[in-house]
Amino acid sequence: MEIAEELAKHQKAISVAEFFEKNRQILGFDSAPRALITCVKEAVDNSLDACEDAGILPDIFVQIKKSGDYYQVIIEDNGPGIVPEEIPRVFAKLLYGSRFHTLRQSRGQQGIGISAAVLYTQLTSGKPTRVISKIAPTRPARYCELLINTAKNEPEILKSEDVDWERPRGTRIELEMEGSYVRSRRQSVYGSLKSTAIVNPHARLTLVEPEGNMEVFERATESLPKKAYAISPHPAGIELGELIKLLRYTDKKKLRVFLKETFSSIGAISAQELCSLAGLDPDVPPVDLDHEAAKKLHAAFKQIKVKSPPVDCLSPIGEELIKAGLEKEFRLDFIATTVRPVSVYSGNPFLVEVGLGFGGELERESRIELLRFANRVPLVYQQGACAMTHAVESVSWKNYSLSQPTGSGVPVGPAVLLIHVASTNIPFTSESKDAVADVPEILVEIDLGLKEVARKLRRYLSRQSILSERREKEEIIRKILPRIAKKLSEVLGKGEPDIGPVVAKIMGNLLVYRKVEKSNGHLFVKILVENHSDLLRSFKLHEVLAVQADRVTPEARVISMADGYDYHWKLSIAPGKSAALSYSIASDGVTLTEPVIEGLDAEIVTGARVI
Amino acid sequence: MEKSAEKKEFELARSIEKEEKSKRAEERLLGLADSLYNQFLLGIVPHISLPSRTKANIEYSSKEDVWVYGDQETTRSVNTVRGAKTLLKTVHLAELLIKEHLKNNRGSTLREIYYISENWDIAKFHEQAESDRLIEDLEIVTTMHREDFHVRPEEDGAAVFGPLRLKEQTRRGEKEMHCQEDVGEAGYQIPFNVDNIEFLSHDAKMVMAIETGGMYARLIENGFDEEYNAILVHIKGQPARSTRRIIKRLNSELKLPVVVFTDGDPWSYRIFASIAYGAIKSAHLSEHLVTPSARFLGVQPSDIVDYNLSTDKLTDKDLQALRSELTDPRFNTPYWEKQIKLQLDLKKKAEQQAFAGKGLDYVTKTYLPERLSEMGII
């Protein structure tokens, strides 16, 4: 026998279940604390997906109990339930699910997560997983005890019977596994549920911890997130192999119909354009296209401009709910949010949302907290390997009032950043779904989103500093200056000095200052107007007099009114400059009213009435 | 009879002088208030300019042989909340000094002034250092001394022991005494206002300022003052103004040479500097307080080697202080440069009391006679 033939005897197919049995770290079951977190996360993700599909406000109960050497994990939801025949395969067959073949945003994608938890359960404790599910109040609940036959990747049903269950509908799963329960850090069941609550403000999550302590993450809203619809693939960035596959297996008879029906964002006109660009007959049957033709078509895809994929395949959290979520879990002074438009990588639509919380009770001296989410699922491990982290690190935060001690990296300051990437297919770096891969299109979008909220933060902070400067000056003017003036007059035994001119200088105001001298039965009036601001001030100054004035310099416009004359000057005074006006009037019986300024805000004028 | 008339005349002259000083102090404080008042009238943002009181802004005055403030100024204006509050406090303080102190011939201690401000609402002082500093500011602005405002420091217990007869004007009348015969073992306690003292007669050849109480007591016990006709001044660490003033007066009025005997560490050199060159914080008073001819006796870093004294290691703070002294203009002399550099090499410091390791009489029988003859004083 040849060596190759000898070797061939040992070659056989590997069941996916066997593969994961030996490579559990790929699925996120690599350490005892992490196993519990992953298990809870997978079950909660499934519950949230199911509730959203059914239009139900999720109410999810999680309990972790110590049971001998193992931990018992119980997750119960109020979702639509699972039909009895499907229960075994949903929970005890890997790569079995409803979402893999559709282009739609959901938490679960491959149908691995929960069955991996079942697999881990039977590996570590040897016990079956127990499931109860009920699909309607009128129907009985189905109870199953399940194992996975790893050699065949098929469910092994130990027990399956109808039982009574008090819930109208829903699903409950109980697993018993090796693990270890940690708290008080973000990488914990508690931390992961807290993050989940932030981006799923429509869900109520209840956690009962091993010592019996109960935490409830309440809803922040009663409205469900917008439903995400399944879409066709988008032509942008589609790969040649994918295109060839689509051409070969389509049931469409004509190329232009194939193009229009298979892809989103392609109508009759762009289908026609594609065909002529590729030099192909629009009516040719797609299956007849050879490799060369497919290549031409693929090249044509790159030349034409197609509109973005429809948004409704994605379900962003939305600015309002990001704000509500952050407000719910942190005490903050300021929140900025942004939702980027839908974009595409390799034919997959995606969008990026960013929320930034600032101030309040956040730590000032340490690195900012980074909350990463992919399709509303918190990512807690491998922060350093994630595209979101990389995008944050490459922004120059100093330009946006946060410090970045080494010039790059996660900034330092009292801030929390929430980044959510939603896509019909999130490009994770591994099957344990810890980190988003550095896809250039995604990095660009995160970067733009980060800069948008950062600009909002900078605007907020500069407004704050102007306000605090203004407040400081107001304190000087209202509280301190009058006291100094009063004390000085007491010490010197003189009248209190007018603090107006000094106030105008400190506030950068326009100061109107009138001096009156009396002689020979006339009042000689001088008005000095000083501009202490750093802007050009243009306005009108009015003097309302009972009698006509003489020697008016410079000349003023006069309007005679029923009871006197309105003298007014149009003035324009540069920063730091002043203007002098003067006139004289007969003094008998004349009382001067305050000068009037027209055309400026009252708070920037001292020494005159403003209209 | 003749003496009594002389005495009366002296007292009269004194009280006239005092009254004039009070009047001048009041005028100058009012002048300050008036200039602020006028700034309001002229629409100038009210402010006071003061020399900046930092190491970088002291310079040598060859006229008086002392270190005084240079031209650098800081401005305190109402443009900031801090500046405005300081000006408000200044005006409050001026009012207190004018109305309570000078008009009623009363006085308060620095500590009391800090407590008086309790009633000043937002003008209240946050700590005594703040009110102390403001009083120094007023001294600078008015070119008067705080004693002229009837502000006194807390007694700090510095004392004089030696062949000196003096007369002190106290609130309870004149007291005459001899600083060896009429005083206890601790000596004559220096009053806060040294200008109330008149030196009557003396039999001294030098003044020795001593840092520590232990060494002061040792010298008295060993009869050093009698043997060498020395006036011993216990300066008690960093010397108070009154201590520096009495040393200055002993030097300038009685023409006695002054030597300073301290520990051998950077902090003690600063004590010497404040006696001989002036302190950075009170350089405006240098002409009044500083004894430029005072000389440093020891413990010198070279003594550590020459006398093989027992030592301690220099701490990081000591080293830092030494290096800072190398850049201090007051220590910019060949003598100090040599000594400080030597000490930086040795990395050691010695206390005055280290001489006790060689016997209780060593310091008075050997070290001091050797040093004093080296310095040409005996």
Side-chain angles (χ1 to χ4, degrees):
Chain A
M1 219 190 290
E2 298 293 330
I3 295 172
E5 286 169 323
E6 184 69 32
L7 289 173
K9 283 190 189 166
H10 301 289
Q11 279 168 348
K12 60 174 182 185
I14 305 157
S15 138
V16 64
E18 280 178 312
F19 173 74
F20 284 127
E21 190 176 352
K22 289 200 172 152
N23 295 288
R24 61 178 81 159
Q25 75 287 348
I26 296 176
L27 300 177
F29 289 90
D30 45 353
S31 71
R34 194 165 173 200
L36 283 185
I37 299 170
T38 305
C39 174
V40 168
K41 171 179 162 301
E42 296 295 350
V44 168
D45 286 355
N46 286 357
S47 295
L48 288 170
D49 272 344
C51 286
E52 256 163 58
D53 285 351
I56 296 167
L57 279 174
D59 193 341
I60 301 169
F61 172 85
V62 177
Q63 183 169 18
I64 300 186
K65 276 200 261 189
K66 192 92 178 97
S67 151
D69 291 339
Y70 306 112
Y71 277 96
Q72 194 183 15
V73 181
I74 300 163
I75 296 105
E76 192 174 313
D77 67 35
N78 62 339
I82 300 161
V83 291
E85 307 77 64
E86 285 291 336
I87 293 171
R89 278 193 296 269
V90 165
F91 289 99
K93 182 176 167 72
L94 282 99
L95 295 174
Y96 185 86
S98 55
R99 304 176 195 282
F100 187 66
H101 298 280
T102 53
L103 283 181
R104 180 163 75 96
Q105 175 189 335
S106 60
R107 294 172 184 81
Q109 283 172 339
Q110 286 87 347
I112 292 179
I114 197 63
S115 14
V118 172
L119 179 65
Y120 180 77
T121 296
Q122 83 187 42
L123 283 175
T124 55
S125 73
K127 299 209 174 152
T129 296
R130 288 175 292 202
V131 179
I132 300 179
S133 193
K134 189 167 165 183
I135 57 170
T138 51
R139 308 271 283 271
R142 173 61 61 96
Y143 172 79
C144 293
E145 287 182 9
L146 302 166
L147 288 174
I148 299 176
N149 179 337
T150 55
K152 288 194 274 184
N153 186 23
E154 284 299 331
E156 221 163 81
I157 304 163
L158 303 186
K159 202 183 250 180
S160 178
E161 61 193 26
D162 284 350
V163 291
D164 280 341
W165 198 35
E166 72 278 12
R167 273 189 181 275
R169 60 168 69 79
T171 304
R172 173 189 171 98
I173 171 168
E174 287 180 38
L175 310 101
E176 209 168 312
M177 60 177 69
E178 252 176 29
S180 99
Y181 190 83
V182 291
R183 221 206 136 144
S184 74
R185 58 171 167 153
R186 219 144 62 74
Q187 293 173 349
S188 62
V189 171
Y190 173 83
S192 151
L193 285 180
K194 179 176 168 173
S195 301
T196 305
I198 292 173
V199 289
N200 295 283
H202 64 291
R204 179 193 289 123
L205 305 177
T206 309
L207 168 67
V208 179
E209 303 186 279
E211 319 85 66
N213 176 38
M214 186 164 93
E215 290 281 348
V216 181
F217 301 97
E218 256 312 332
R219 286 194 184 99
T221 172
E222 294 286 323
S223 59
L224 280 163
K226 195 171 63 76
K227 225 170 157 173
Y229 292 95
I231 59 148
S232 322
H234 191 268
I238 195 160
E239 279 159 359
L240 180 60
E242 176 75 10
L243 178 61
I244 292 172
K245 191 183 99 190
L246 289 167
L247 287 165
R248 186 173 303 151
Y249 296 112
T250 185
D251 52 356
K252 301 289 179 290
K253 300 287 180 269
K254 291 176 177 172
L255 181 57
R256 63 182 159 83
V257 180
F258 161 81
L259 290 170
K260 192 169 153 257
E261 300 292 319
T262 312
F263 295 101
S264 61
S265 308
I266 290 190
I269 297 169
S270 19
Q272 197 71 40
E273 200 187 338
L274 274 171
C275 293
S276 60
L277 268 172
L280 297 170
D281 178 1
D283 292 328
V284 77
V287 283
D288 290 358
L289 262 59
D290 60 6
H291 189 265
E292 209 44 46
K295 241 177 132 176
K296 279 185 194 158
L297 186 59
H298 187 243
F301 271 140
K302 287 191 176 154
Q303 288 173 43
I304 68 158
K305 265 204 171 158
V306 227
K307 61 177 194 281
S308 302
V311 197
D312 54 8
C313 60
L314 298 175
S315 164
I317 304 164
E319 299 199 47
E320 218 162 277
L321 289 186
I322 290 179
K323 202 173 164 205
L326 284 172
E327 256 167 7
K328 195 163 69 117
E329 301 303 334
F330 300 95
R331 279 169 178 273
L332 299 167
D333 293 334
F334 171 74
I335 297 174
T337 55
T338 187
V339 176
R340 297 284 311 155
V342 178
S343 192
V344 182
Y345 83 91
S346 308
N348 298 299
F350 73 94
L351 72 71
V352 170
E353 299 176 279
V354 182
L356 182 149
F358 186 85
E361 291 173 2
L362 293 173
E363 188 67 50
R364 260 144 225 288
E365 304 298 327
S366 54
R367 292 188 181 284
I368 67 164
E369 198 169 331
L370 186 56
L371 304 172
R372 298 173 295 134
F373 297 91
N375 282 358
R376 291 176 184 252
V377 177
L379 309 182
V380 284
Y381 286 94
Q382 293 197 31
Q383 175 164 314
C386 184
M388 304 190 213
T389 314
H390 299 156
V392 169
E393 285 169 347
S394 58
V395 169
S396 184
W397 288 97
K398 273 192 203 127
N399 300 337
Y400 305 101
S401 327
L402 283 176
S403 72
Q404 213 168 5
T406 52
S408 66
V410 178
V412 170
V416 54
L417 258 180
L418 180 156
I419 305 175
H420 179 219
V421 177
S423 175
T424 52
N425 179 26
I426 302 264
F428 287 109
T429 55
S430 88
E431 196 38 58
S432 58
K433 297 186 183 175
D434 292 317
V436 174
D438 284 334
V439 175
E441 291 91 336
I442 295 183
L443 280 171
V444 165
E445 279 298 309
I446 299 174
D447 181 65
L448 291 172
L450 287 172
K451 284 178 178 161
E452 242 171 75
V453 292
R455 277 196 296 275
K456 288 179 186 169
L457 172 68
R458 188 173 54 191
R459 268 203 298 282
Y460 164 79
L461 289 176
S462 75
R463 207 163 50 233
Q464 285 308 101
S465 83
I466 290 169
L467 280 179
S468 81
E469 206 177 295
R470 191 95 201 165
R471 267 198 295 274
E472 173 166 9
K473 292 200 161 160
E474 251 156 40
E475 191 188 343
I476 296 173
I477 281 155
R478 278 168 206 270
K479 282 174 71 183
I480 308 177
L481 272 191
R483 278 172 200 245
I484 297 180
K486 184 159 169 267
K487 261 290 148 220
L488 283 172
S489 79
E490 282 172 19
V491 171
L492 296 167
K494 295 183 184 176
E496 266 186 58
D498 175 16
I499 64 170
V502 173
V503 169
K505 278 214 173 132
I506 293 175
M507 294 305 279
N509 278 6
L510 188 84
L511 174 69
V512 181
Y513 195 61
R514 186 163 64 189
K515 261 195 225 162
V516 182
E517 272 170 41
K518 202 169 170 181
S519 77
N520 293 335
H522 275 76
L523 294 180
F524 292 89
V525 182
K526 270 189 186 159
I527 301 173
L528 199 65
V529 190
E530 295 171 359
N531 179 3
H532 294 292
S533 74
D534 41 19
L535 294 171
L536 179 80
R537 299 290 187 206
S538 300
F539 55 92
K540 275 187 194 166
L541 187 145
H542 297 261
E543 277 279 80
V544 178
L545 304 171
V547 294
Q548 263 186 312
D550 300 317
R551 278 171 274 194
V552 182
T553 7
E555 226 165 290
R557 293 177 64 118
V558 193
I559 298 167
S560 53
M561 302 183 300
D563 51 352
Y565 302 90
D566 174 12
Y567 286 81
H568 66 266
W569 292 264
K570 250 183 136 168
L571 297 172
S572 219
I573 306 179
K577 301 284 183 220
S578 60
L581 315 168
S582 63
Y583 63 88
S584 68
I585 49 170
S587 67
D588 18 295
V590 171
T591 48
L592 291 169
T593 53
E594 220 184 342
V596 173
I597 294 282
E598 181 187 347
L600 291 175
D601 287 337
E603 72 244 30
I604 61 166
V605 176
T606 308
R609 200 156 63 82
V610 177
I611 55 166
Chain B
M1 278 313 270
E2 210 181 313
K3 207 167 187 185
S4 144
E6 205 177 283
K7 193 171 162 185
K8 262 192 188 148
E9 200 177 310
F10 173 77
E11 272 175 16
L12 189 69
R14 270 237 111 112
S15 77
I16 288 173
E17 191 188 320
K18 264 188 110 173
E19 220 165 86
E20 274 179 354
K21 264 199 172 166
S22 291
K23 232 174 149 181
R24 203 159 32 176
E26 189 180 330
E27 273 167 18
R28 294 202 179 158
L29 288 173
L30 284 170
L32 170 68
D34 206 45
S35 81
L36 288 171
Y37 186 88
N38 286 329
Q39 287 172 349
F40 271 109
L41 292 187
L42 294 170
I44 299 168
V45 174
H47 65 276
I48 297 178
S49 291
L50 290 164
S52 70
R53 289 150 69 179
T54 59
K55 188 166 82 180
N57 190 38
I58 55 170
E59 49 190 48
Y60 189 70
S61 153
S62 52
K63 198 179 91 201
E64 301 282 342
D65 254 6
V66 293
W67 292 84
V68 295
Y69 290 124
D71 304 332
Q72 290 175 31
E73 286 202 331
T74 54
T75 301
R76 207 159 287 150
S77 86
V78 298
N79 249 329
T80 62
V81 166
R82 245 183 72 162
K85 279 196 176 157
T86 308
L87 278 194
L88 178 59
K89 288 171 192 180
T90 309
V91 178
H92 266 281
L93 187 59
E95 186 191 37
L96 168 79
L97 298 180
I98 294 168
K99 292 194 175 163
E100 302 287 330
H101 281 191
L102 299 170
K103 284 218 160 76
N104 294 331
N105 196 23
R106 308 273 312 261
S108 334
T109 66
L110 291 168
R111 187 94 191 134
E112 280 171 332
I113 285 177
Y114 163 65
Y115 281 121
I116 288 167
S117 81
E118 294 264 315
N119 305 316
W120 295 354
D121 192 30
I122 56 166
K124 177 183 156 194
F125 294 116
H126 293 299
E127 49 178 8
Q128 198 192 323
E130 197 186 357
S131 52
D132 289 0
R133 223 182 43 144
L134 220 52
I135 288 164
E136 283 163 11
D137 287 350
L138 285 181
E139 289 184 302
I140 295 172
V141 173
T142 60
T143 63
M144 304 287 291
H145 301 158
R146 65 184 179 207
E147 289 80 7
D148 305 331
F149 305 139
H150 305 186
V151 176
R152 51 180 183 262
E154 270 58 45
E155 294 299 343
D156 78 335
V160 173
F161 198 97
L164 171 70
R165 183 178 295 280
L166 52 73
K167 186 165 74 180
E168 182 186 340
Q169 191 81 31
T170 71
R171 286 202 164 253
R172 312 251 163 109
E174 274 179 5
K175 299 271 159 72
E176 206 178 296
M177 66 193 85
H178 189 274
C179 297
Q180 272 165 331
E181 291 151 20
D182 304 332
V183 296
E185 286 208 320
Y188 165 71
Q189 198 169 25
I190 302 170
F192 79 90
N193 192 350
V194 173
D195 291 317
N196 287 339
I197 296 175
E198 191 189 350
F199 300 132
L200 297 176
S201 63
H202 73 93
D203 192 15
K205 292 212 163 62
M206 71 172 119
V207 175
M208 185 180 290
I210 300 156
E211 178 181 357
T212 64
M215 184 52 69
Y216 174 70
R218 163 70 37 225
L219 264 52
I220 294 172
E221 189 185 309
N222 290 8
F224 184 83
D225 53 310
E226 286 180 317
E227 196 174 336
Y228 289 93
N229 295 326
I231 296 174
L232 308 177
V233 182
H234 176 205
I235 55 182
K236 270 206 136 183
Q238 191 66 43
R241 283 187 186 184
S242 52
T243 312
R244 291 198 279 148
R245 177 66 184 152
I246 203 166
I247 293 172
K248 159 95 180 168
R249 285 192 60 201
L250 288 169
N251 172 258
S252 60
E253 290 173 31
L254 306 184
K255 312 278 183 248
L256 292 172
V258 173
V259 293
V260 181
F261 185 21
T262 66
D263 287 340
D265 64 42
W267 317 103
S268 299
Y269 308 152
R270 289 178 188 190
I271 290 174
F272 166 73
S274 77
I275 293 172
Y277 309 139
I280 293 171
K281 208 166 74 95
S282 58
H284 60 291
L285 299 166
S286 285
E287 287 156 25
H288 187 64
L289 300 178
V290 171
T291 311
S293 65
R295 293 170 67 191
F296 187 66
L297 184 145
V299 177
Q300 314 172 95
S302 55
D303 294 339
I304 295 175
V305 186
D306 297 347
Y307 293 88
N308 192 22
L309 297 175
S310 50
T311 54
D312 289 314
K313 272 185 105 172
L314 290 176
T315 63
D316 288 348
K317 277 197 167 166
D318 292 336
L319 288 168
Q320 212 180 350
L322 274 178
R323 285 192 202 104
S324 149
E325 278 161 13
L326 279 179
T327 64
D328 189 325
R330 297 175 302 169
F331 288 96
N332 187 13
T333 64
Y335 170 76
W336 280 113
E337 221 160 285
K338 196 177 128 210
Q339 294 291 348
I340 291 170
K341 282 188 175 153
L342 172 65
Q343 188 155 31
L344 283 170
D345 283 344
L346 294 172
K347 295 195 168 51
K348 283 178 181 156
K349 59 182 175 186
E351 290 185 1
Q352 292 184 302
Q353 270 87 335
F355 292 108
K358 306 189 178 296
L360 294 178
D361 290 336
Y362 186 84
V363 68
T364 47
K365 289 277 177 276
T366 312
Y367 176 71
L368 288 177
E370 277 181 23
R371 271 296 288 149
L372 286 168
S373 61
E374 205 178 292
M375 294 166 81
I377 290 178
I378 55 169

